[in-house]
Amino acid sequence: MNDTETLFQYGREYSEIPEKIRVSSRAIITDGNKILLSHELNTGVYLIPGGGLESGETLDECCKREIREETGYEISVGKQLYVFKEYFRNMLYVSNYFLCEITGKGEQSLTESEISHGVVPEWTEINKALEIFGSYGDYAETDEEIEGQYKREYTVICKYFNKLL
């Protein structure tokens, strides 16, 4: 039985029939009262680590590769918790969230964009992560993309930690 929960989110402007679909895998990794986030030092943006599925790759393989590239951590991919379908303009973003554990440490292997953004892995207290992502409304007038990403991450973290309580 698959008990993966599907969640939906809609931008202010969206197409019910998107022109493009981007599938990604993201890892929920915790240690005590902290969660691992990717922090872009040069933009100030935080996200749950992960990224886009490459051709011929499974969701698990994508998750392992993206976490290794972004954070330098080797992981084991556990249970898939959520499928988050986010309709934004002419795109459908499908983010697959997995519960993962760290199995080793290596080196980051960042893209040019990630290097220019200053991406670093950062262990963040859960309450701080909720505060960061809970500020999604602050971006409503200035950056709808960050607003949507933060609202997505806030929803996922709230759902996950409410299940643990």
Side-chain angles (χ1 to χ4, degrees), residues 3-21:
D3 57 354
T4 302
E5 186 175 356
T6 301
L7 306 167
F8 296 89
Q9 181 171 292
Y10 301 88
R12 285 187 285 285
E13 294 180 28
Y14 68 94
S15 172
E16 290 191 32
I17 302 173
E19 293 174 22
K20 292 184 180 179
I21 299 173

Side-chain angles (χ1 to χ4, degrees), residues 88-102:
F88 180 70
R89 297 190 179 130
N90 65 343
M91 294 282 296
L92 168 58
Y93 296 92
V94 181
S95 297
N96 296 276
Y97 287 84
F98 295 88
L99 188 58
C100 299
E101 289 186 12
I102 293 174

Side-chain angles (χ1 to χ4, degrees), residues 95-130:
S95 297
N96 296 276
Y97 287 84
F98 295 88
L99 188 58
C100 299
E101 289 186 12
I102 293 174
T103 59
K105 181 78 170 117
E107 296 292 321
Q108 284 179 289
S109 177
L110 302 174
T111 65
E112 288 296 320
S113 174
E114 290 166 337
I115 290 168
S116 71
H117 290 172
V119 172
V120 296
E122 193 169 298
W123 288 99
T124 306
E125 290 189 11
I126 302 302
N127 289 338
K128 177 71 173 168
L130 288 169

Side-chain angles (χ1 to χ4, degrees), residues 67-68 71-76 101-107:
I67 302 317
R68 183 177 52 254
T71 70
Y73 288 113
E74 299 291 335
I75 61 166
S76 64
E101 289 186 12
I102 293 174
T103 59
K105 181 78 170 117
E107 296 292 321

